Amino acid sequence: LFPHGGGVVAMTGGGARGLSSSMLSAFEVLDRGDLVRIEGEAVTVGKLPLKMAEEMAVAAEKHIKWYLSSIGKKKTNKSGTSSKEGGGGGGVGGGKDGKTNSSNKSAVDIKITASHEDHPRSSASFIILRAHTSKGCILAASALGERGKKASAVGHSCAQMLVAEWKAGGCVDSHLQDQLIIFMALANGQSKLRCGPLTLHTRTAIYLAEKLTGANFTVTPISDDGRKPPPEVRFDPKTGELKTKEQFLDDYKRSEEWETARGATEEAEVRNRKRGRQSKSKFKTGPPVLLQCTGIGHVASVKK
């Protein structure tokens, strides 16, 4: 548990049977479907009161309500907060947000619970929210309480992040992106994944996976409004400019310069972040992207 540790994680796996002769299968996740449910938990631990968890839950609900009403979706109210200490929080109703169902005949169920956990050493608070879709995709966001920061501000911030994940247009959230790279690289065949603008972790994972496995990744911006998406740009360390792939080829006549510029782009963005500057790279803002990978068809092996 934060901040002192001591938590226990229990996991049940499928066992090693059959893995010695099985290949990882390629996958395609391209359509996330409609938004059908939002759920979450606001929790206080140790000496922090249950009331703080309730304030986080209520603030998150209000922001989600505002977002759903701002896009003109149907709303329905549905309460359902639970607590080990008997406190209340509440669930809210929302609207349906999805591109494939314009009739909007059903509403989004939203339920955020508030609870308290006893702990002898740790005192902390957190909130986690999850958006479920009709195609089984789950996008999540979370936030930790901070000393001097109002509980309502923590809940509002978490809801803001969840809305941002949804508006990014991906089938996975920004924290799951990089976790899937190794599976795409080792799978047998071509995997395709629709996600939001790539994070620095994802781009780093792609770079390492390509170097270590020989798998090949491509990133293609997607436009949902019929307009041509902007081209990918990378930082040219020799000129200090952001250039497209075509510009790199015109200047250097070699594709190697474009590939080398990926690392320079990441370094430039890290420097800009440290200086508090907003990067101009399409990885920070912009349309969702189609991430494709031709895997190497790795055969899993298990030591007995």
Side-chain angles (χ1 to χ4, degrees):
L1 297 176
F2 175 85
H4 296 293
V8 177
V9 177
M11 186 192 82
T12 302
R17 180 178 298 177
L19 285 180
S20 59
S21 60
S22 298
M23 280 190 180
L24 296 172
S25 299
F27 62 87
E28 291 189 7
V29 185
L30 302 176
D31 180 10
R32 67 183 181 185
D34 300 320
L35 179 63
V36 296
R37 185 171 81 257
I38 295 177
E39 61 184 17
E41 299 85 33
V43 182
T44 52
V45 178
K47 298 179 180 179
L48 298 184
L50 174 64
K51 183 179 179 181
M52 292 181 64
E54 294 170 347
E55 291 175 357
M56 286 190 291
V58 169
E61 292 171 359
K62 286 182 178 179
H63 185 82
I64 294 171
K65 274 185 175 180
W66 168 83
Y67 170 68
L68 294 172
S69 63
S70 71
I71 58 176
K73 301 299 180 181
K74 184 187 294 186
K75 295 186 295 182
T76 180
N77 288 326
K78 182 178 180 180
S79 61
T81 294
S82 65
S83 167
K84 291 186 177 181
E85 293 191 359
V92 302
K96 194 174 184 62
D97 183 7
K99 297 176 182 176
T100 60
N101 186 358
S102 59
S103 62
N104 193 26
K105 294 181 179 180
S106 59
V108 177
D109 290 331
I110 302 180
K111 183 177 180 181
I112 305 173
T113 65
S115 63
H116 176 82
E117 298 282 350
D118 292 324
H119 195 276
R121 294 190 298 163
S122 293
S123 291
S125 62
F126 66 89
I127 180 171
I128 182 168
L129 301 173
R130 297 176 296 278
H132 296 257
T133 77
S134 58
K135 294 296 181 81
C137 296
I138 302 175
L139 288 75
S142 62
L144 278 172
E146 301 176 20
R147 187 183 298 273
K149 187 173 184 178
K150 291 183 177 180
S152 57
V154 177
H156 175 80
S157 175
C158 186
Q160 261 188 326
M161 288 187 283
L162 184 67
V163 168
E165 294 285 2
W166 180 256
K167 292 170 68 176
C171 297
V172 298
D173 60 53
S174 58
H175 297 287
L176 183 57
Q177 278 181 17
D178 61 295
Q179 305 297 315
L180 298 177
I181 297 303
I182 187 60
F183 299 105
M184 297 176 75
L186 297 179
N188 181 35
Q190 186 178 61
S191 296
K192 298 180 181 180
L193 175 67
R194 178 190 172 109
C195 50
L198 300 188
T199 65
L200 180 59
H201 281 179
T202 301
R203 284 152 42 214
T204 302
I206 290 173
Y207 176 80
L208 291 174
E210 287 182 333
K211 291 293 184 182
L212 295 174
T213 69
N216 180 48
F217 285 82
T218 60
V219 180
T220 307
I222 300 172
S223 176
D224 289 320
D225 55 11
R227 295 180 298 177
K228 185 178 180 179
E232 178 182 352
V233 293
R234 294 182 182 177
F235 179 76
D236 185 347
K238 296 180 180 180
T239 64
E241 300 175 344
L242 288 171
K243 297 180 179 179
T244 64
K245 185 174 183 178
E246 288 72 20
Q247 290 172 325
F248 267 93
L249 292 176
D250 289 341
D251 292 343
Y252 301 108
K253 312 302 180 185
R254 299 188 311 167
S255 60
E256 288 81 0
E257 299 291 342
W258 170 254
E259 296 302 325
T260 303
R262 176 186 288 175
T265 303
E266 295 173 359
E267 293 174 1
E269 290 189 348
V270 170
R271 290 196 300 270
N272 286 339
R273 191 187 305 119
K274 289 180 178 179
R275 296 170 184 167
R277 298 176 182 174
Q278 184 68 32
S279 172
K280 296 180 181 179
S281 169
K282 69 102 181 169
F283 290 110
K284 288 297 180 183
T285 58
V289 301
L290 172 62
L291 181 60
Q292 300 181 81
C293 174
T294 301
I296 63 172
H298 174 70
V299 178
S301 62
V302 180
K303 292 183 178 180
K304 296 183 179 180

